Amino acid sequence: MTPLQQTWPADFAARYRAAGYWRGETFPGFLRQRAAGRPEATAIIGGDQRWSYAELLARAEAAGAGYLALGLRPGDRVVVQLGNIPEFFSAVFGLFLAGMVPVYALPAHRLTEIAHFVAKAEAAGYIAAARGTDGFDYRPLARDLRAASPGLRHVILVGEAEEFTPFASLGGDPASLPPEPDPASVAFLQISGGTTGLSKLIPRTHDDYIYSFRASNAICGVGPESVFLVALPAAHNFPMSSPGHMGALYAGARVVLSPTPNPEAAFPLIAREGVTITGLVPPLALLWAQAAERTPHDLTSLDVLLVGGAKLTPEAARRIRPALGCQLQQVFGMAEGLVNYTRLDDPDAVILDTQGRPISPDDEVLIVDDAGEPVPEGEPGYLLTRGPYTIRGYHNDDAANARAFTADGFYRTGDVVRRTPGGNLVVQGRAGDHINRAGEKISAEEIEDHLLAHPHVFDAAVVSVPDEFLGERSCAFIIPRGERPRAAALKGWMRGRGIADFKVPDQIVLVEAFETTAAGKISRRELRARLRARLLAGETAE
Ligand code: OOB
């Protein structure tokens, strides 16, 4: 098995420890502390379940001991694909307690993606729900996954498990659990937005990740009395750590789970549970603002709405506070690390017009030009970053690491930003060819590869186009081969490829040929840029 690691140069690590960012805390350690300190306090509320901290720990211990009893071993990686249900937490903390490493998949992922995560992480286990909160049946997926993944030894399902191991059956002696892990070790693997090709795996350590949400709690005002609503998928880095459910649990606060982020599901929960803080992507924030105008539910408990994952335009930002009656906090973060927030007491100009500033005084931010030279202050450029919770490398991917990191360890975020005189960042665009569809990142290359597998597709180029609701949507330009494929049929065929639904192109445009120049072929990048420009100029019809 390829070892898991995430290491910072010794002088950096020493500095981060000396500054008090890395305190040697671990996931099992902090859960045990909270369960000992406030055993009766409510930790998790989801569906008809309410678990205290003591109950969460007991359930996680049973799961952890159960994984060991099944034959999973400390160090094993386990892909977890669970929606916003309480078992997400017992399953994940069970893995932490058993010294195993969760690999976070989203409920929207399908066979192609899950098989990739299993292969890339060399996962020994897969945990999912028999049925998702949207009714999707994961059992056929689990069967196909098992057939496709020779190294996968255990499939554990919450609910009607059929031939698989029922999650509820897991149990064992908590004394079988290993001692606390090394805080510098990798705690879990997060999934990258996949800007080029398939998603990469992001190893995060106990030390670095706990720092990021502990510091986020201070910035977002989360304490033991807070009630955090998980509206976005719990496995996503934003609702997990900004300050997220992990920040909330670290603070000893309550975590409320909404099965979907729609106002119909979330508003009654806000009213019933007195939710104080939550996070949304911009399109949902706008939907909530609209729905709040005519809701019968009392939303006055809500103090803070975090909005991030994609650019919130200043016009949209202006609508949110009056409609929802809470403070808006913009967050510009990435699963690889760096997170920026506007501060709760910032002036309106900062809250509405910028994406905030880094969490840590030791977050190093460079804004550079094409040659890698710093741009004049205030000018836009590529954002590079390095710091106490930003990774130095992806898992087992030398090619990606060579592209994504500079020789001195800066992560190339791919985002184009400028810095205001007050030190806040404004996101202006990006370098890479991915589509940010309502916060879901889609790699153009990955979708093109799928399309090229279709017998009637000669060539394909996928681009992002502005979308009033989603921010961006995807458009696939296709040169047909032989028979001209129909858009609806092609979309259906894409779904059949076993990929997340959000990756199926929103729009398909057939063209006769792609442009070339006198000098011959143009780069994919240039091609996508030209096609996009033609589409925006209205030169192509669907
Ligand atoms: C969050 O994480 P990822 O890993 O899904 O995506 C990161 C990318 C950023 O590099 C940037 O391109 C984009 O998403 N992004 C934003 C943004 N927040 C993220 N672009 C413009 N404005 C924003 N506010 O999306 C994520 C992780 C932690 C906290 C928040 C978001």
Side-chain angles (χ1 to χ4, degrees):
M1 249 190 340
T2 315
L4 285 178
Q5 54 176 12
Q6 189 59 254
T7 43
W8 284 257
D11 51 333
F12 282 83
R15 182 146 60 83
Y16 298 155
R17 285 200 184 91
Y21 307 142
W22 296 355
R23 296 186 183 166
E25 294 175 301
T26 67
F27 283 89
F30 94 69
L31 180 63
R32 286 197 173 106
Q33 268 178 19
R34 292 306 162 272
R38 359 180 39 210
E40 301 305 325
T42 303
I44 305 284
I45 299 163
D48 53 7
Q49 308 201 63
R50 301 176 84 83
W51 298 350
S52 66
Y53 275 88
E55 192 173 356
L56 170 59
L57 176 62
R59 286 174 178 269
E61 284 177 337
Y67 301 143
L68 291 168
L70 270 184
L72 285 162
R73 293 181 289 267
D76 277 344
R77 298 105 199 223
V78 176
V79 173
V80 177
Q81 187 178 29
L82 293 171
N84 295 358
I85 55 173
E87 290 82 357
F88 177 93
F89 295 89
S90 45
V92 161
F93 275 100
L95 292 170
F96 290 145
L97 287 163
M100 295 164 196
V101 180
V103 184
Y104 294 121
L106 296 172
H109 287 135
R110 294 294 177 257
L111 180 65
T112 305
E113 288 113 353
I114 303 291
H116 168 67
F117 303 151
V118 167
K120 195 81 191 166
E122 299 166 279
Y126 169 64
I127 306 178
R131 281 193 187 275
T133 51
D134 61 353
F136 181 79
D137 189 348
Y138 287 89
R139 288 164 295 198
L141 192 163
R143 272 172 213 125
D144 293 345
L145 181 68
R146 192 138 76 172
S149 314
L152 191 70
R153 303 199 311 272
H154 297 284
V155 173
I156 302 167
L157 298 184
V158 176
E160 279 299 316
E162 296 183 351
E163 73 268 39
F164 305 106
T165 303
F167 181 73
S169 73
L170 297 180
D173 182 0
S176 65
L177 295 169
E180 262 203 53
D182 174 358
S185 66
V186 171
F188 60 85
L189 293 166
Q190 187 58 273
I191 304 298
S192 80
T195 47
T196 48
L198 295 172
S199 289
K200 298 174 284 287
L201 300 180
I202 301 174
R204 301 287 302 257
T205 66
H206 297 267
D207 264 335
D208 93 77
Y209 205 67
I210 291 176
Y211 167 51
S212 79
F213 56 73
R214 187 181 65 235
S216 294
N217 280 350
I219 291 170
C220 308
V222 167
E225 300 311 315
S226 299
V227 183
F228 183 85
L229 180 78
V230 189
L232 296 171
H236 192 279
N237 191 61
F238 171 22
M240 187 176 297
S241 65
S242 291
H245 50 76
M246 287 296 174
L249 292 175
Y250 182 87
R254 286 181 187 202
V255 171
V256 179
L257 304 170
S258 183
T260 81
N262 299 328
E264 298 75 43
F267 285 7
L269 287 170
I270 294 175
R272 192 185 82 197
E273 302 297 340
V275 167
T276 61
I277 175 167
T278 188
L280 292 174
V281 291
L284 285 168
L286 287 177
L287 193 70
W288 280 35
Q290 223 172 39
E293 285 170 12
R294 44 194 159 72
T295 183
H297 300 288
D298 179 3
L299 306 179
T300 50
S301 62
L302 198 62
D303 294 325
V304 177
L305 176 65
L306 290 132
V307 181
K311 174 84 182 230
L312 181 68
T313 61
E315 310 82 74
R318 278 183 175 73
R319 278 192 249 158
I320 289 168
R321 273 191 309 193
L324 288 162
C326 63
Q327 180 57 297
L328 165 69
Q329 189 163 33
Q330 294 211 41
V331 48
F332 160 42
M334 51 211 71
E336 286 82 356
L338 181 71
V339 179
N340 303 275
Y341 294 102
T342 57
R343 303 310 198 253
L344 295 173
D345 58 358
D346 272 341
D348 281 4
V350 171
I351 291 174
L352 299 172
D353 298 333
T354 84
Q355 279 67 56
R357 51 195 179 277
I359 289 178
S360 177
D362 274 295
D363 280 323
E364 298 172 68
V365 162
L366 288 179
I367 304 175
V368 303
D369 61 18
D370 282 319
E373 293 301 321
V375 296
E377 197 55 43
E379 296 290 312
Y382 304 112
L383 170 64
L384 310 185
T385 187
R386 192 166 77 167
Y389 59 97
T390 296
I391 59 164
R392 294 298 187 116
Y394 292 107
H395 175 60
N396 191 16
D397 200 334
D398 293 341
N401 287 337
R403 277 194 309 269
F405 296 87
T406 66
D408 48 4
F410 279 87
Y411 168 57
R412 297 182 208 273
T413 67
D415 294 311
V416 175
V417 304
R418 67 179 168 84
R419 188 165 32 209
T420 68
N424 291 289
L425 301 179
V426 178
V427 180
Q428 306 226 284
R430 62 170 168 265
D433 277 346
H434 68 271
I435 297 107
N436 186 335
R437 186 181 190 278
E440 305 278 15
K441 319 308 185 291
I442 304 165
S443 149
E445 193 181 302
E446 182 186 344
I447 305 313
E448 289 165 2
D449 281 346
H450 279 291
L451 288 165
L452 286 171
H454 191 281
H456 297 128
V457 172
F458 175 72
D459 202 356
V462 175
V463 306
S464 72
V465 279
D467 183 278
E468 208 183 324
F469 179 65
L470 298 167
E472 293 177 15
R473 65 176 189 272
S474 61
C475 176
F477 287 88
I478 304 240
I479 304 177
R481 170 166 40 204
E483 199 178 298
R484 289 168 71 83
R486 285 185 37 248
L490 201 51
K491 287 184 193 180
W493 177 86
M494 280 292 277
R495 282 192 190 95
R497 303 276 298 168
I499 56 171
D501 218 43
F502 63 78
K503 294 183 184 172
V504 174
D506 293 298
Q507 194 179 350
I508 288 175
V509 177
L510 298 183
V511 293
E512 292 314 314
F514 289 152
E515 285 178 68
T516 49
T517 60
K521 268 185 82 127
I522 56 175
S523 75
R524 278 326 270 182
R525 257 219 95 196
E526 176 61 20
L527 172 65
R528 293 186 191 115
R530 289 188 189 193
L531 288 169
R532 189 167 180 272
R534 274 176 59 194
L535 186 74
L536 297 181
E539 286 174 30
T540 49
E542 199 165 346

